Amino acid sequence: MKTNSDTVLVGSRVVLVPYRSEHVSKYHEWMLDEDLRTLTASEPLSLEEEYEMQKKWQEDEDKLTFIILARGLGGDNIQELVSNLTPTDVRIADLPMVGDVNLFLSGTLPHRRLASEAQTSGTQNLVEMEEQDTDQDEFHAEVEIMIAEPSFRRKGFALEALQLMLGYATGQPQAFAVPNTNNLCSQSLNHQHDFVNSPLKIHPGCLLSRISDTNVSSIKLFQKLGFRITKRVEVFQEVEMRYRR
């Protein structure tokens, strides 16, 4: 997606960068693993095909993809420079790739559709149009995440990557805050982004994820973020989860 082509999102554990050509070789290496292909419902591709896929995803307006980079445990100098980072910044060039996080859009983004309708009809009150909109159910955004490197699993990387990406996509980061371990009355986010200028403005209620019904850890991960199981699809042995906080 061109929308995030120059976007870098920084958390306490991860840095999210757009999927670029320099990431393809490592991504292809991951996809040689049959278990990862099964978990992600991916087909085996040649390296050349993987480069073509990366180019396509970079142009497609219905796919938002970030590569997940792991930050050093010993600290670094990028936390205070969130707004100044670019995908090619030397300060993040050596951070290891550990996975990716994706959003697949189905239908036209409601705010873009309404803006187009307002322009056609000459209406100025978009807020009123949004309140009266009856077609939002026709749009949804499917969330996927993969921590491909085994040594980085179950350490909070997936949670933070999802908080960053979903906050960016919706403009509502607090919707994905989780209770603090020591104080269940307070909610925490481990990043400094406020996402007030989200380019997508996806309503959280339009988010869904489809997960294997045996992948208990992923189901629990999405439950932490406010998703609930809304459907079980026995033929595919998966559950559908939607944001319902």
Side-chain angles (χ1 to χ4, degrees), residues 15 17-19 30 54 56 60-61 81 93 118 125 127 163 181-182 214 222 231 238:
V15 175
V17 296
Y19 184 30
W30 290 340
Q54 182 272 328
K56 183 176 184 299
D60 286 352
E61 286 304 307
L81 302 170
N125 195 338
V127 174
Q163 287 179 315
T181 304
N182 297 323
T214 61
F222 277 85
K231 185 188 298 184
E238 67 181 18

Side-chain angles (χ1 to χ4, degrees), residues 157-173:
F157 290 90
L159 175 64
E160 187 172 274
L162 283 167
Q163 287 179 315
L164 282 165
M165 196 267 284
L166 294 177
Y168 171 80
T170 64
Q172 301 181 47

